[in-house]
Amino acid sequence: YSLDTSTGNNTNEFVLTSDSFNSSSNTDGAGCGTESPRKLIKKVFERIFINSLIDIKEDTYAAIYATCEPGIKSITSILGTGSNCTYYDGKNILQKVDSLGYVLMDDASGNYFGRQLIRDYYFDKMPLSVQKSISKSFDMQSNTIKDHIYKRPNPNTYLAKFGRFVIDNKELPYFKKLIRKGFNLFISNQIEQFSDCREVPLHFIGSIGFYLKDELSEILESKKMIIGKVLRKPIDGLVNYHLENI
């Protein structure tokens, strides 16, 4: 199979070929972190890949496989639509924080920045020039926002669309402050949960980390942390991992 995992959008595309039916199939996807969906997906795949051994894992494994070297300790974070952080001890993975989703967590993610922009817009906590610019780029009517957040599916994806606006305006003082606040929260709440976070490389996957790499690097360096690989999507690293290990 070929796997296209979009860290920022929580989507996975599987392309089946004739080679897929006599192999060991490893699938890493969003929504596979609990037993129930893993069993459901495995059942579906077993009906298709009748001669294969199926292994279903959450998308955190895709991030680890794409960035980490076997046997080398490191920390891999996802900064896309959502965010999370995983420790790799060279063999196994460890997450100290159970994700509670975009409403309560996901610091420094696309939907985090979307939430902050909308709040600052309505609480009048941003420069007038920024307010006007946002109004030209998005429909900021309260009814529209509430419809997307409370009535339509995937509100986290809707919020994350504002992340592009943050990236495009990252040189403005308001956005510099916003970006720094988000990254500092993520580092404090996630990365610094691990005692050796200043001794191992820190890898990042996702559009937020990728397009704000300079800002992220500056903050990590100020905290004496070691930045490692920064990828927009994990697919290239995943392909190499599977070619070398399967």
Side-chain angles (χ1 to χ4, degrees), residues 122 139-149 152 158:
Y122 271 89
D139 182 350
M140 296 300 291
Q141 295 183 73
S142 60
N143 287 338
T144 300
I145 293 172
K146 287 186 287 186
D147 182 59
H148 279 283
I149 298 298
R152 298 191 186 186
Y158 164 73

Side-chain angles (χ1 to χ4, degrees), residues 111-127:
N111 70 69
Y112 164 85
F113 288 120
R115 291 199 312 273
Q116 299 307 307
L117 278 181
I118 292 172
R119 286 172 56 86
D120 286 356
Y121 180 92
Y122 271 89
F123 285 128
D124 199 22
K125 297 291 186 180
M126 60 173 55

Side-chain angles (χ1 to χ4, degrees), residues 181-240:
K181 178 183 177 181
F183 282 154
N184 278 325
L185 277 173
F186 182 82
I187 292 168
S188 175
N189 291 333
Q190 293 280 3
I191 294 176
E192 289 185 335
Q193 293 280 341
F194 304 105
S195 59
D196 59 349
C197 62
R198 289 174 174 80
E199 302 168 12
V200 302
L202 308 178
H203 305 304
F204 295 87
I205 283 182
S207 57
I208 295 297
F210 182 80
Y211 290 113
L212 296 177
K213 180 181 177 180
D214 291 342
E215 291 74 17
L216 178 60
S217 298
E218 181 181 342
I219 294 172
L220 291 174
E221 289 173 5
S222 72
K223 297 178 180 293
K224 309 300 181 183
M225 294 178 170
I226 307 166
I227 191 166
K229 299 176 183 177
V230 181
L231 308 176
R232 188 169 74 91
K233 294 183 178 182
I235 186 62
D236 291 337
L238 272 177
V239 170
N240 292 334

Side-chain angles (χ1 to χ4, degrees), residues 52-104:
S52 297
L53 297 175
I54 307 297
D55 188 15
I56 307 294
K57 296 180 179 180
E58 61 181 299
D59 58 352
T60 300
Y61 282 86
I64 292 293
Y65 295 157
T67 56
C68 300
E69 299 293 334
I72 300 177
K73 294 180 180 179
S74 55
I75 296 173
T76 294
S77 300
I78 295 177
L79 292 176
T81 295
S83 66
N84 63 39
C85 181
T86 304
Y87 185 88
Y88 176 65
D89 68 2
K91 184 178 180 181
N92 301 306
I93 71 172
L94 169 66
Q95 286 184 308
K96 283 196 172 183
V97 179
D98 288 336
S99 176
L100 298 178
Y102 75 96
V103 174
L104 298 175

